Amino acid sequence: MEKRVAIVGAGISGLLACKYVLQIGFNPIVFEADDGIGGVWRHTIETTKLQNPKETFQFSDFPWDSSLKEDCPSSQQLLDYLNSYAQHFSIIPNIRFNSKVIDIDYVGGSNEEMKSWELWSGNSSPFGSKGTWHITVEDTKKLSTEVYKAEFVILCIGKYSGFPNIPEFPPGKGSEVFTGKVMHSMDYSALDNEVAAELIRNKRVAVVGSEKSALDIATECANANGVTHPCTIIQRTAHWILQDFNIGGINLGLLYLNRFAELLVHKPGESFLLSLVATLLSPLRWGISKYVETYLKLKFPLKKYGLVPNHSFLQDISSCQTAVLPEFFFEKVKEGSILIKKSQSFSFCKQGLIVNEEPKPLETDLVIFATGYKGDQKLRSIFKSSIFQNYINGSGDSTVPLYRQIIHPQIPQLAIIGYAESLSNIFCNEMRCQWLAHLLDGNIELPSIKEMEKDTKIWEDNIKQNARNLRSCIVTCGIWYNDQLCKDMKCNPRRKKGPFAELFEPYGPTDYQGLVPNGLFGNNA
């Protein structure tokens, strides 16, 4: 049978998936709704920069240009980097721009037949004997639709776009009673820089949220309006914030991103011995978290402005909820161009917002919700089949069950890249794409559906144990995770030179370079 591969999305994950699928000899087609590559990085506010040092946020075989001196590049510099990567590996010819995927539908085996399968796709192969994906694509310029067929689909649609998470309000207390403008950070970020600047100029802006987008937007508003029209951040939950990855002279990677650090935490499917070690070393785990918290409380006026979180730093980093501060953030707070209000409740009124039921409203011209996205709902909505939609569990008490954070045990001939998070998503998603290339080329044999479901449950339980929420975050056991992928690919998981380096050096993108040889085993003809 044919082995056509379709990729949805040309953000970082889509570029990686295309690169590695090309590398093993396939000719994939990439559908991208926008007119260029980059995904969410095409729609960021002007001042947004990488939170990571560039050495931790790069492709394994395509380093940043040596002429780039900034440690944390801007969004435009990142876009330039992505375009250079796509040109270097000849990815662009495989992308169909202005092609929005409306839905995908699996046509072939009946629902009853698929439910009876013991192996994924019925035969544990990425290319089943019957099924074909029908992909409905809209040309966003001509407004016409066409159905494409593929034997395998890779979803690289991301979690942070398309489906904004906006709080709901009782009747009479929502935005309908407000005379000003209300929008989500997604819509603000999508504006042209000049249009965005004009929108906030001389406006009283309130930003609802406590993570990176909220801090960035508030700083941009403060830069535009100063103390004349201060920007107010309304936040329910404070999170630990960093200036950079240097914690009192110690690189954060030495504390959390090496094998020794992973000995301190419980890992999915660990042996009794490793579990015992993690338990015995729990005082050290607690001590490291307290060291970071103490340093941050000394470094920043968190207590003064009510920004000391009620949870540990370990919980935040295990949930992928730490944020790097924009430049001069606390200087803006000190001068009064950024105001911070802790709020357990708020509602709209004609003049603005009622915060914590205070008698005097917060007079506002513009309210921007930086309240995140409904990633599960976005993923669910792309499937035409209600059965497949139900497999993408968005109940709030579990994560989307993905084997190796890539394969849904019940959805055949399909992979999802980019759902699980880490501190460097370019890094972890490249590992997944290398694993997927081995799978597509027949070098990985999947276990039974029952075994895959058992494994996903183990990972989900681990996330519940370590994190504050159910975001699928693998920061504190990322090396453990990559070890599993390496073993599946029949590659040596020990990537360092010498036992000391193996134990204490942080792992990064270049450690996993070359896990997919050109052509691999040539089973894709």
Side-chain angles (χ1 to χ4, degrees):
M1 66 177 297
E2 288 191 74
K3 296 183 178 181
R4 295 167 294 188
V5 177
I7 300 168
V8 183
I12 290 175
S13 297
L15 297 178
L16 283 163
C18 186
K19 186 259 189 183
Y20 282 106
V21 172
L22 281 168
Q23 191 167 321
I24 60 171
F26 288 90
N27 187 33
I29 180 172
V30 183
F31 298 108
E32 169 54 49
D34 217 329
D35 58 2
I37 66 169
V40 294
W41 285 100
R42 288 181 58 81
H43 305 290
T44 60
I45 68 175
E46 186 175 11
T47 55
T48 296
K49 293 185 176 183
L50 275 180
Q51 297 198 79
N52 310 63
K54 59 180 180 290
E55 291 78 12
T56 68
F57 200 94
Q58 66 178 8
F59 300 104
S60 67
D61 52 1
F62 192 77
W64 290 86
D65 192 287
S66 58
S67 63
L68 182 68
K69 302 305 179 185
E70 292 86 344
D71 194 39
C72 296
S74 68
S75 57
Q76 184 57 55
Q77 288 169 324
L78 178 58
L79 277 178
D80 293 341
Y81 176 60
L82 298 181
N83 276 288
S84 296
Y85 178 82
Q87 295 289 346
H88 180 78
F89 289 106
S90 301
I91 295 170
I92 299 296
N94 290 76
I95 304 176
R96 294 195 180 215
F97 294 108
N98 304 302
S99 298
K100 181 180 179 180
V101 173
I102 305 301
D103 59 46
I104 61 175
D105 192 27
Y106 186 74
V107 178
S110 66
N111 293 329
E112 292 74 19
E113 181 184 1
M114 285 190 284
K115 288 178 181 178
S116 70
W117 286 346
E118 293 185 5
L119 298 175
W120 189 65
S121 295
N123 58 5
S124 196
S125 165
F127 300 98
S129 58
K130 294 182 179 179
T132 304
W133 284 100
H134 289 206
I135 306 160
T136 303
V137 180
E138 177 189 56
D139 185 314
T140 58
K141 288 190 172 180
K142 298 179 182 177
L143 299 180
S144 59
T145 60
E146 190 173 351
V147 176
Y148 293 84
K149 296 180 181 179
E151 280 65 47
F152 198 93
V153 170
I154 307 173
L155 293 181
C156 302
I157 58 177
K159 297 169 65 175
Y160 300 113
S161 64
F163 283 73
N165 179 38
I166 299 177
E168 296 183 359
F169 298 89
K173 294 190 175 183
S175 58
E176 71 278 1
V177 302
F178 177 46
T179 56
K181 185 176 180 60
V182 179
M183 64 195 312
H184 191 269
S185 58
M186 176 185 75
D187 302 309
Y188 176 77
S189 300
L191 295 174
D192 178 83
N193 288 336
E194 292 183 4
V195 175
E198 183 60 33
L199 176 68
I200 63 176
R201 187 175 292 120
N202 296 323
K203 299 289 199 318
R204 298 167 297 180
V205 183
V207 179
V208 181
S210 56
E211 296 190 48
K212 178 62 173 171
S213 294
L215 303 181
D216 281 350
I217 293 172
T219 303
E220 192 158 286
C221 292
N223 289 337
N225 299 323
V227 297
T228 306
H229 298 292
C231 177
T232 303
I233 298 177
I234 299 172
Q235 60 172 228
R236 176 179 297 174
T237 304
H239 294 287
W240 292 102
I241 44 184
L242 306 170
Q243 185 172 28
D244 50 37
F245 275 42
N246 187 305
I247 307 297
I250 302 175
N251 187 290
L252 189 69
L254 294 173
L255 300 177
Y256 287 102
L257 305 177
N258 57 20
R259 288 194 184 275
F260 179 77
E262 291 197 4
L263 287 175
L264 311 186
V265 299
H266 290 286
K267 297 168 286 296
E270 65 188 358
S271 66
F272 172 77
L273 178 59
L274 286 176
S275 177
L276 179 62
V277 169
T279 300
L280 292 175
L281 293 179
S282 60
L284 181 56
R285 179 175 70 232
W286 176 87
I288 291 173
S289 184
K290 286 300 176 184
Y291 164 74
V292 177
E293 293 163 27
T294 301
Y295 170 79
L296 294 176
K297 285 189 283 188
L298 291 172
K299 179 77 174 177
F300 304 121
L302 302 182
K303 187 175 181 179
K304 179 179 180 180
Y305 297 109
L307 295 177
V308 178
N310 294 323
H311 52 269
S312 69
F313 180 82
L314 176 62
Q315 286 179 299
D316 253 1
I317 197 170
S318 298
S319 308
C320 293
Q321 287 192 298
T322 54
V324 175
L325 284 171
E327 279 188 304
F328 309 116
F329 177 81
F330 277 110
E331 285 84 348
K332 301 294 180 184
V333 175
K334 183 178 180 180
E335 75 181 16
S337 57
I338 293 178
L339 307 176
I340 300 172
K341 278 185 171 286
K342 294 292 293 293
S343 169
Q344 293 305 308
S345 65
F346 72 94
S347 59
F348 284 90
C349 64
K350 183 178 180 180
Q351 300 95 329
L353 299 172
I354 304 294
V355 182
N356 293 325
E357 299 184 355
E358 295 174 358
K360 184 179 179 181
L362 175 65
E363 295 185 2
T364 310
D365 302 306
L366 171 64
V367 176
I368 301 176
F369 285 109
T371 45
Y373 296 83
K374 298 178 179 179
D376 292 5
Q377 184 177 332
K378 181 181 182 181
L379 187 57
R380 232 181 10 253
S381 69
I382 202 168
F383 293 98
K384 189 172 184 178
S385 163
S386 59
I387 293 176
F388 286 174
Q389 289 178 2
N390 290 334
Y391 286 154
I392 306 298
N393 191 327
S395 64
D397 60 358
S398 65
T399 60
V400 175
L402 299 178
Y403 177 70
R404 297 294 193 252
Q405 310 299 330
I406 303 168
I407 298 291
H408 194 293
Q410 297 286 351
I411 303 179
Q413 298 166 228
L414 178 132
I416 299 169
I417 303 293
Y419 181 79
E421 302 172 68
S422 186
L423 284 185
S424 176
N425 289 327
I426 195 172
F427 172 21
C428 62
N429 288 333
E430 181 164 13
M431 282 297 296
R432 292 171 191 140
C433 289
Q434 293 190 85
W435 183 93
L436 182 57
H438 279 262
L439 176 70
L440 291 174
D441 212 56
N443 190 39
I444 292 176
E445 183 176 344
L446 296 175
S448 68
I449 290 174
K450 185 178 293 186
E451 287 299 312
M452 287 196 287
E453 289 177 334
K454 180 181 177 181
D455 186 80
T456 61
K457 182 65 165 59
I458 290 172
W459 276 83
E460 181 181 300
D461 290 344
N462 181 263
I463 289 172
K464 289 179 179 179
Q465 178 183 358
N466 293 327
R468 295 185 58 254
N469 57 28
L470 283 170
R471 287 167 68 158
S472 189
C473 177
I474 59 170
V475 168
T476 53
C477 55
I479 301 173
W480 177 260
Y481 169 72
N482 287 337
D483 284 353
Q484 293 185 334
L485 298 187
C486 285
K487 291 173 184 176
D488 290 346
M489 291 184 278
K490 304 175 181 64
C491 300
N492 184 3
R494 307 288 174 170
R495 314 297 299 176
K496 297 291 188 181
K497 295 180 179 179
F500 184 86
E502 189 64 58
L503 191 59
F504 294 107
E505 278 189 10
Y507 261 77
T510 55
D511 292 310
Y512 296 99
Q513 182 179 347
L515 299 183
V516 180
N518 287 322
L520 205 58
F521 296 102
N523 295 329
N524 45 37

